[in-house]
Amino acid sequence: MSNPRTFQIQEISGHPGPIPGLGTRREEEVCKYIDVTTCIGCKACEVACVEWNDHPFRETTFDDTYQTMPSTEWNYWNLIKFVEHERDGNLMWLMRKDQCMHCEDPGCLRACPADGAIIKYQNGIVDFQQENCIGCGYCISGCPFDIPKFNPKTNKVFKCTLCSDRVGQGLEPACIKACPTGCLHFGTKSDMVQIARTRATQLQKESGFANAGVYDPQSIGGTHVIYVLHDITQPELYGGLPANPVIPPSYTVWKWLAKPTGLLLAGLGLFAVFFHRLTVGPKMPQPEDKPVVTHHPDVVEATREEKP
């Protein structure tokens, strides 16, 4: 793969015109495959993510679980969620790697009004360009997975980039490089889906998980981070993974209704100003009338008496 700066751009947030260079090059769609059934919760992926992205190590939050902190943060993009689940009278861990899903139809990009703040490449990576971020937070509310996080000091929003800098150099993401059990894989979307389906079939036939399946929600066009779950019918068990993620309409309606309406009204206003200029002409300053000086009779008489 080429450098991330030369990735073919597919969509740009808040961009009204055509996409620069659209269709000039073809790229393979990339995908990260996560097999939660083989995750041991070692958190090596968490450390690798922090180190590669040069984030400061922060204090963890203890809440009676092995989970590092309650949720991802603006400088902590990758988190292993620990969930205790009882199945057939036995206690089992449901551990899921929580991060940006890099949706095919990203809600963050749909909601973002800033031109160029969020970019989706044709290989599926959804990247943030913080220099263009205006800090409105719409992307946070537009994401069905609650992933983008706000930095109050810089007023910018951050999230996982799927290590676009590494991918651009032909390397796999840092978290995958660090995983010791092989539960993380990276490659083309078609290859990863095939591997995931094979694993799900194996779990159904050999491990007694009849409902095992691949999490790749089509309600948002699929994702470029997919899971193999023990029970695909209950993804909510895995740390609140939504069964049917959708983009909130309230955060996208402005693009197809409110924004065009506002632009239309602004255009009508400019036309009205132009029409007034042509028909009436510019508003010129009016000459001021000179004040008329009047004298009271008593004042005039007094003035005459003072003269020698």
Side-chain angles (χ1 to χ4, degrees):
M1 295 181 181
S2 58
N3 187 280
R5 295 294 181 185
T6 62
F7 281 167
Q8 178 60 45
I9 297 174
Q10 182 174 348
E11 293 182 277
I12 301 177
S13 64
H15 192 69
I19 304 302
L22 182 62
T24 59
R25 200 167 89 232
R26 178 181 179 184
E27 291 182 355
E28 292 284 352
E29 290 189 30
V30 297
C31 181
K32 180 188 292 186
Y33 154 52
I34 304 172
D35 182 3
V36 304
T37 67
T38 57
C39 177
I40 60 175
C42 67
K43 304 182 183 181
C45 57
E46 293 185 9
V47 177
C49 179
V50 170
E51 288 187 338
W52 178 258
N53 293 288
D54 198 25
H55 291 159
F57 283 92
R58 51 183 297 157
E59 294 183 0
T60 60
T61 303
F62 180 71
D63 57 354
D64 296 328
T65 179
Y66 290 110
Q67 194 166 304
T68 306
M69 57 186 63
S71 64
T72 57
E73 297 292 342
W74 73 266
N75 58 353
Y76 207 88
W77 301 345
N78 175 45
L79 176 68
I80 300 296
K81 289 197 170 184
F82 288 74
V83 179
E84 294 182 354
H85 176 63
E86 185 177 346
R87 180 177 182 267
D88 298 332
N90 298 317
L91 184 66
M92 62 182 297
W93 281 109
L94 300 181
M95 291 174 286
R96 177 177 68 87
K97 184 176 183 295
D98 187 28
Q99 60 159 86
C100 175
M101 300 294 289
H102 294 271
C103 308
E104 181 62 27
D105 186 12
C108 58
L109 188 147
R110 292 279 174 263
C112 178
D115 190 356
I118 304 177
I119 292 176
K120 178 178 179 288
Y121 300 113
Q122 284 193 345
N123 63 4
I125 293 179
V126 180
D127 207 353
F128 276 28
Q129 308 293 321
Q130 276 76 24
E131 63 271 18
N132 297 324
C133 177
I134 60 176
C136 64
Y138 286 173
C139 60
I140 299 174
S141 301
C143 175
F145 298 97
D146 188 30
I147 293 299
K149 294 297 187 294
F150 184 75
N151 180 1
K153 293 184 178 180
T154 63
N155 291 327
K156 305 291 184 181
V157 181
F158 297 82
K159 73 168 188 65
C160 159
T161 65
L162 204 61
C163 284
S164 59
D165 50 352
R166 291 177 60 89
V167 174
Q169 299 299 326
L171 303 174
E172 57 190 4
C175 58
I176 295 177
K177 192 71 175 178
C179 180
T181 65
C183 77
L184 304 180
H185 297 269
F186 186 77
T188 65
K189 178 69 182 283
S190 57
D191 287 347
M192 295 302 101
V193 170
Q194 182 178 357
I195 294 174
R197 288 174 177 171
T198 301
R199 174 58 177 165
T201 301
Q202 182 184 26
L203 290 170
Q204 294 170 3
K205 294 180 178 179
E206 301 178 9
S207 301
F209 294 101
N211 293 326
V214 180
Y215 184 83
D216 183 20
Q218 297 305 306
S219 57
I220 49 176
T223 56
H224 293 271
V225 174
I226 61 176
Y227 296 99
V228 167
L229 306 178
H230 305 87
D231 189 353
I232 193 63
T233 64
Q234 302 185 76
E236 298 90 349
L237 296 176
Y238 299 82
L241 194 63
N244 187 42
V246 293
I247 303 173
S250 57
Y251 294 98
T252 58
V253 67
W254 72 273
K255 285 195 172 181
W256 60 267
L257 180 60
K259 185 177 180 181
T261 302
L263 292 175
L264 177 61
L265 294 176
L268 291 176
L270 291 175
F271 176 77
V273 172
F274 179 73
F275 183 76
H276 181 273
R277 174 86 178 193
L278 291 178
T279 56
V280 180
K283 184 177 181 181
M284 304 297 292
Q286 300 298 321
E288 296 182 0
D289 296 332
K290 294 183 178 180
V292 179
V293 179
T294 59
H295 299 284
H296 194 273
D298 295 339
V299 176
V300 174
E301 186 64 26
T303 304
R304 288 175 180 176
E305 293 178 357
E306 292 177 359
K307 292 182 180 180

